[in-house]
Amino acid sequence: MKKILAIHTGGTISMSQNEKGEVVPNAENPIAQQETIMEGRVELITDELFNLPSPHVTPVEMLKIKQCINQGEREGIDGVVITHGTDTLEETAYFLDLTLPSTIPVIVTGAMRSSNEVGSDGLYNFQTAIEVAADDASRGNGVMVVMNDEIHTARYVTKTHTTNVATFRTPTFGPIGLVAKGHPIYFQQLIREDICDIDHVVDHVYLLKAYAGMDASLFDALNSDQTAGIVIEGLGAGNLPPVTLPAIQRLLDRNIPLVLVSRCYNGVAEDIYDYQGGGIELRKMGLMLCQGLNGQKARIKLLVGLSAGLRGDRLAEYLSTAVS
Ligand code: ASP
């Protein structure tokens, strides 16, 4: 029988709706009491690592989850399911994907409706995630997000709807598999990225979103010795208003790594445009283009790379391998 480690971290999947219709955390996590849902099919080992709404989760908690999985692997587990709030689920999933050397299935799941709401999706998603984690076909696929009968890569999945149960989507590339009556069916595979098996996380890695009329003030506000790196969600294929360029140059002069992605929902950032503030000029200035990742994922990748001690060309190479 497969041994599956279930790590509970909080989120709507562990919350309940009160008599006023407000969704609130519980002292006792109801999803953690569900050890018997796969009785006779898997051995479920439960770890209630923490119980936080996911906007309270930081890279420090992400590292704790990674270390909990490392420990479980030393003890011989065959797969992992993590329950997590959906707001920052994609960031935790990608952090684990970048930092876990394991080939055992690691599945992250959550819920859009809390445990006592009509049509609650928590228990269903939890059970499906366990089934995917226990299936041999799931080995070596990197960290995956299983929600609503779909299997997405941690690298490209994103939350697209505030309340709908079909919120997790993979723009541009699509999901890598489906779950049909408890069985995963895979139809795509990702090439794995470099793994950085880090033991600490750096702070002060920021994310800025470009907009029409953006000026230099946000860039100047981050121009300090403390800033470790900045990801910029550029316009379209990866362009910025020209008025931002002097402030960007001041950040580069301070050796602050700057990463450029697109604020578009679909597509990848590329150096296509040769006008002032266009991607070609930004690349020549020294911005690192990170293709295919959204801003929050690129920020996690930059943070992991910096935490692993990568700098200069090695950091640029690491950040440029998202699409392979
Ligand atoms: N706000 C919740 C959280 O991320 C949303 C959810 O879990 O679905 O904790």
Side-chain angles (χ1 to χ4, degrees):
M1 210 191 301
K2 293 270 176 70
K3 265 194 211 170
I4 304 295
L5 172 63
I7 303 174
H8 299 291
T9 71
T12 297
I13 193 164
S14 61
M15 298 183 194
S16 306
Q17 189 171 273
N18 65 19
E19 53 296 338
K20 289 188 263 170
E22 301 157 338
V23 178
V24 289
N26 286 303
E28 294 281 309
N29 183 342
I31 202 76
Q33 317 308 321
Q34 302 290 343
E35 281 125 2
T36 55
I37 58 167
M38 297 286 288
E39 198 152 340
R41 292 160 68 193
V42 301
E43 182 187 341
L44 203 59
I45 303 153
T46 301
D47 188 330
E48 295 189 58
L49 193 57
F50 45 85
N51 190 2
L52 293 174
S54 75
H56 298 198
V57 170
T58 73
V60 172
E61 281 77 31
M62 297 177 195
L63 188 63
K64 276 190 194 145
I65 301 173
K66 174 207 170 320
Q67 288 165 341
C68 181
I69 296 169
N70 291 147
Q71 178 63 29
E73 277 199 272
R74 285 194 286 274
E75 289 164 10
I77 50 159
D78 300 299
V80 183
V81 170
I82 300 142
T83 66
H84 196 287
T86 61
D87 291 353
T88 63
L89 185 151
E90 64 190 88
E91 281 145 285
T92 295
Y94 191 46
F95 180 95
L96 297 174
D97 194 49
L98 290 170
T99 59
L100 282 171
S102 30
T103 52
I104 60 165
V106 176
I107 313 296
V108 192
T109 193
M112 295 304 289
R113 299 184 187 131
S114 66
S115 58
N116 62 347
E117 286 178 58
V118 176
S120 169
D121 51 334
L123 190 53
Y124 184 83
N125 285 338
F126 184 46
Q127 176 167 321
T128 312
I130 295 168
E131 281 161 337
V132 174
D135 198 295
D136 287 335
S138 304
R139 289 183 65 87
N141 284 352
V143 176
M144 294 176 281
V145 173
V146 171
M147 298 264 305
N148 203 36
D149 279 341
E150 289 186 350
I151 308 171
H152 296 263
T153 64
R155 197 184 305 173
Y156 295 128
V157 72
T158 192
K159 184 174 181 178
T160 65
H161 197 288
T162 49
T163 52
N164 195 306
V165 293
T167 183
F168 281 93
R169 295 264 171 248
T170 300
T172 308
F173 309 111
I176 57 163
L178 300 173
V179 189
K181 291 282 167 222
H183 296 291
I185 305 165
Y186 291 96
F187 45 83
Q188 284 197 70
Q189 214 175 14
L190 266 195
I191 296 167
R192 288 213 78 181
E193 290 177 296
D194 292 343
I195 301 301
C196 292
D197 194 0
I198 53 175
D199 57 8
H200 72 285
V201 283
V202 300
D203 221 338
H204 308 294
V205 180
Y206 299 103
L207 172 61
L208 292 181
K209 184 177 193 136
Y211 50 87
M214 185 184 208
D215 64 16
S217 39
L218 291 175
F219 295 102
D220 280 333
L222 293 180
N223 193 341
S224 94
D225 284 340
Q226 240 194 5
T227 298
I230 305 172
V231 173
I232 306 162
E233 283 187 15
L235 305 167
N239 310 302
L240 288 172
V243 72
T244 62
L245 297 178
I248 286 176
Q249 189 57 55
R250 286 193 285 278
L251 293 167
L252 292 167
D253 291 344
R254 234 184 221 270
N255 285 325
I256 295 174
L258 299 184
V259 177
L260 182 66
V261 296
S262 172
R263 72 172 192 174
C264 291
Y265 173 73
N266 269 303
V268 300
E270 289 179 282
D271 50 343
I272 293 175
Y273 286 98
D274 197 4
Y275 52 71
Q276 220 197 344
I280 292 177
E281 182 176 11
L282 297 175
R283 171 165 270 183
K284 280 188 192 148
M285 286 173 75
L287 273 78
M288 296 175 276
L289 269 76
C290 181
Q291 294 185 311
L293 296 184
N294 64 23
Q296 57 270 31
K297 297 277 178 75
R299 180 184 167 272
I300 291 292
K301 191 161 193 190
L302 176 59
L303 185 147
V304 167
L306 290 169
S307 303
L310 302 181
R311 298 290 182 274
D313 289 348
R314 286 185 62 214
L315 183 65
E317 196 186 319
Y318 174 66
L319 285 159
S320 70
T321 53
V323 178
S324 24

